[in-house]
Amino acid sequence: DEVSNAVQSLSRFYKLTLSRKQNMSTIAQEAEHVSIYLQIQNMRYHDSISFISDIPDELLEYSIPKLTLQPIIENSVLHGILETADKSGTIVLTGWIEDNDIVLISDDGVGITPEKLSTILSGSGNSTSGGTNIAIYNTHRRLQVLYGSDYGLTYSSKPGHGTEVEIRIPAKKETA
């Protein structure tokens, strides 16, 4: 049963990841994508990651660029939750409309020091695991190229208490 579930999850994950027909997705599809990603990670890390998706129904059909949420969720897992002493934690995905569509992701991982926080969106940072934060930088820059410099990612964090990531994009409904 576990192998069957893993194969089904991987199949759905890659179908969502690799479909190149459109560059845009809906928040509902992106939320499904990260939910499947976290199911796969929980198979790997023995259900140590709790995921709360609390996106209001009225936001689910709004447009969001594909693969906006996944790199942020992945960083929450790898650099937040898995760096805690017990290698467990919670990721919360929620959102609201405030002139623009804002989606907030938070985790209760180890948090980010102010020094590291200042380099995350610059493309020049390095993580303790040897990564370069390039996926986060690319996500931020892609949102700015698509929508302008008022949009993109904003990080706030308190070491030992977790991190919040605000994704700001224009509120646009998916058109058929």
Side-chain angles (χ1 to χ4, degrees), residues 59-119:
L59 292 183
L60 294 176
E61 293 309 311
Y62 278 83
S63 294
I64 187 169
K66 273 184 148 182
L67 294 174
T68 296
L69 300 180
Q70 192 275 333
I72 299 164
I73 296 286
E74 183 174 340
N75 267 24
S76 291
V77 171
L78 298 178
H79 305 297
I81 292 172
L82 294 179
E83 289 187 13
T84 62
D86 64 357
K87 299 197 180 314
S88 67
T90 302
I91 296 172
V92 177
L93 174 61
T94 190
W96 61 91
I97 293 179
E98 177 186 286
D99 297 328
N100 301 299
D101 189 350
I102 299 172
V103 178
L104 178 73
I105 299 170
S106 68
D107 69 57
D108 60 0
V110 296
I112 305 170
T113 64
E115 301 79 41
K116 210 187 290 186
L117 198 58
S118 67
T119 66

Side-chain angles (χ1 to χ4, degrees), residues 19 27 34 50 54 57 78 90 102 136 140 145 166 169 174:
S19 91
I27 290 175
V34 297
S50 297
D54 187 25
D57 289 345
L78 298 178
T90 302
I102 299 172
I136 295 302
H140 176 63
V145 166
E166 182 182 281
I169 59 174
E174 170 115 317

